Amino acid sequence: MDSILVQGGTPLSGSIPIAGAKNACLALMPATLLSDGPLTLSNAPRLSDIATMTALLRSLGAEVTALSEGRVLAMSSHDVTNLTADYDIVRKMRASILVLGPLLARYGRAVVSLPGGCAIGARPVDLHVAAMEALGATTELRDGYLHASAPGGLRGAVVDFPLVSVGATENALMAACLARGTSVLRNAAREPEIVDLARCLRAMGARIEGEGTSEIVVEGVTALHGATHVVVPDRIELGTYMLAPAIAGGSIECLGGRRELLAAFCDKLEEAGLELEETPTGLRVSRGEGRLAPLDVITEPFPGFPTDLQAQMMAALCTAQGVSVLEERIFENRFMHAPELMRMGARIDVQGGTATVTGVERLRGAPVMATDLRASVSLILAGLAAEGETVLSRVYHLDRGYERLEAKLSACGARIERVRA
Ligand code: UD1
């Protein structure tokens, strides 16, 4: 298996292009199942998770063609023949559950294996199921598969989410587009990826209002048509690279970055002492002399601080001047990076969902590994400033969410390379 080798201690300078959002693309791709017409996505990221969603859609009978080296995905679902999302594909990626709403809405039936994905807590799908039931589906769990049906079609309804879920909101939004009558999604997720999905669905002929707020109203239509759509920039990739100069020193411009995608995170960076500047082409982050100030961070649904940047922020706070507290409120068991960071010399005390980080002057390189995507990249970031060499194994987690990570960082002066096994 490949590993990544980082020699710490070089300040960074240069620019990094931010790709299209993985999480937006993973919701936009299943939207093709809602229509006969062609759906074309541009600014798609080239990642293994996108390849997994491609394989899943193809297994259902959809056509997915990657053009322009994978930057453009041309899709069509005029010939869907299979309504079962198989365990072998779904277990690789939790977002596979996003085919449930579209299949059910268009074909009145869907069978979806219960998903696997990142090892960050239980991550059930009860909210997805409850939303489909509210829209008139009946569901049953059998042999590890969720069997859902709505033979007469879905009907518009109020879907009241007991807690905010990005994926369940996306599934309900897609399903409601073809339901009979009006649906109201209450306590809906407000993430930029939801807004992006709603824009694409509207381009396909859906009637949607209120995306980006906690109440989305959808007027069902009988059919959607083809569309083209540009995927929103990846705010998590953006935040990750913004933390690189925060940790290693120097200054980086993230091309295509926009502050409104990450306002709460940007406020925290400034509180820690970084300088942020919106440029005509993106967002520049610079770190001056001296250590970062410590922070209190609480992860929350958008517009709060994103859970997907908690691990990377922890890596930065390991060398802050003082004590930081990070509270993880979205996922249980999302501090697996803490023991690895401690092997690099960090001082972290984890109690339940709270991590207390006492800043040390310097981390030391070490062999490390992680079992999820964001934890893996946090260890790379820590390695950028650590004394000596850090070797990250289980790199396939990184490849799920960061394209050309080594190339992007080394173009800014980082000493980082992939060692092929
Ligand atoms: C999405 C993102 C993921 C991010 C997460 C939270 C994608 C592909 N992934 O994941 O990167 O970390 O949002 O911002 O977009 N929950 C339930 N029952 C459910 C569904 C969720 O209890 O049926 C819980 C989860 O366990 C979690 C919370 O709700 O505690 C939020 O999860 P959710 O927003 O659904 O995350 P995902 O959509 O899976």
Side-chain angles (χ1 to χ4, degrees):
M1 253 180 279
D2 292 359
S3 49
I4 286 188
L5 203 143
V6 188
Q7 293 283 351
T10 319
L12 306 176
S13 94
S15 58
I16 292 184
I18 302 303
K22 167 180 84 82
N23 286 351
C25 207
L26 290 175
L28 290 162
M29 292 174 74
T32 183
L33 298 169
L34 288 165
S35 156
D36 259 349
L39 176 61
T40 304
L41 301 176
S42 57
N43 196 35
R46 288 175 297 182
L47 299 167
S48 64
D49 270 9
I50 301 300
T52 304
M53 184 56 85
T54 299
L56 175 57
L57 292 174
R58 284 183 180 152
S59 77
L60 303 174
E63 284 170 19
V64 184
T65 311
L67 306 168
S68 302
E69 298 176 337
R71 290 265 164 255
V72 174
L73 297 172
M75 298 176 292
S76 169
S77 299
H78 58 269
D79 199 15
V80 167
T81 46
N82 170 29
L83 301 179
T84 299
D86 200 73
Y87 174 69
D88 274 344
I89 301 179
V90 177
R91 72 185 165 85
K92 293 188 192 152
M93 188 182 68
R94 184 185 157 76
S96 307
I97 188 78
L98 294 174
V99 301
L100 173 66
L103 286 179
L104 198 49
R106 179 135 170 253
Y107 300 98
R109 202 166 69 80
V111 181
V112 181
S113 168
L114 293 182
C118 282
I120 51 175
R123 303 190 79 172
V125 293
D126 55 314
L127 300 173
H128 299 253
V129 175
M132 295 307 121
E133 286 177 348
L135 293 168
T138 52
T139 65
E140 193 191 349
L141 263 183
R142 235 185 303 139
D143 308 325
Y145 282 78
L146 174 74
H147 297 249
S149 69
L154 295 173
R155 49 177 157 68
V158 173
V159 181
D160 211 338
F161 293 104
L163 61 98
V164 179
S165 161
V166 175
T169 301
E170 290 166 343
N171 244 334
L173 179 59
M174 289 191 275
C177 288
L178 293 181
R180 265 193 326 279
T182 307
S183 298
V184 182
L185 313 185
R186 296 208 176 121
N187 201 23
R190 291 181 276 167
E191 270 67 2
E193 294 75 24
I194 305 274
V195 174
D196 204 41
L197 175 62
R199 285 191 182 141
C200 176
L201 293 169
R202 210 183 282 121
M204 294 169 73
R207 295 179 59 194
I208 301 170
E209 275 175 26
E211 75 275 12
T213 76
S214 51
E215 187 166 296
I216 305 178
V217 180
V218 186
E219 204 70 58
V221 295
T222 48
L224 296 180
H225 49 72
T228 59
H229 179 79
V230 184
V231 181
V232 69
D234 193 318
R235 65 198 167 96
I236 306 303
E237 191 195 26
L238 169 65
T240 301
Y241 288 125
M242 288 175 80
L243 282 167
I247 292 175
S251 175
I252 282 184
E253 185 185 6
C254 294
L255 302 173
R258 300 203 306 260
R259 188 171 178 131
E260 85 262 14
L261 295 172
L262 274 181
F265 172 82
C266 288
D267 292 349
K268 284 289 171 193
L269 289 190
E270 285 175 335
E271 194 184 325
L274 291 158
E275 213 171 284
L276 267 54
E277 185 200 346
E278 287 180 88
T279 66
T281 41
L283 204 47
R284 173 171 288 285
V285 193
S286 312
R287 173 171 160 189
E289 293 300 309
R291 289 162 66 180
L292 297 183
L295 295 175
D296 286 344
V297 173
I298 298 175
T299 64
E300 284 169 319
F302 193 86
F305 189 99
T307 174
D308 285 351
L309 286 171
Q310 178 260 107
Q312 300 90 313
M313 185 58 116
M314 185 187 285
L317 294 174
C318 286
T319 50
Q321 179 102 47
V323 177
S324 301
V325 178
L326 295 111
E327 209 180 305
E328 173 57 58
R329 291 214 187 144
I330 306 292
F331 293 112
E332 63 206 75
N333 194 17
R334 203 175 194 182
F335 286 134
M336 285 96 64
H337 41 287
E340 296 296 302
L341 290 168
M342 286 161 78
R343 297 184 56 250
M344 298 175 73
R347 284 180 60 199
I348 304 167
D349 177 42
V350 175
Q351 301 288 340
T354 303
T356 305
V357 182
T358 305
V360 296
E361 199 146 329
R362 184 167 292 285
L363 296 178
R364 290 180 308 275
V368 287
M369 64 181 191
T371 48
D372 91 65
L373 163 61
R374 309 302 173 186
S376 297
V377 84
S378 77
L379 300 171
I380 298 276
L381 291 177
L384 291 176
E387 213 166 68
E389 185 175 287
T390 297
V391 183
L392 178 83
S393 46
R394 296 202 185 170
V395 169
Y396 53 89
H397 287 293
L398 273 183
D399 296 334
R400 293 185 53 193
Y402 294 92
E403 62 169 66
R404 298 172 51 249
L405 173 104
E406 318 87 271
K408 288 186 181 186
L409 283 171
S410 54
C412 295
R415 288 186 291 163
I416 176 167
E417 62 179 299
R418 181 179 291 245
V419 181
R420 307 240 172 229

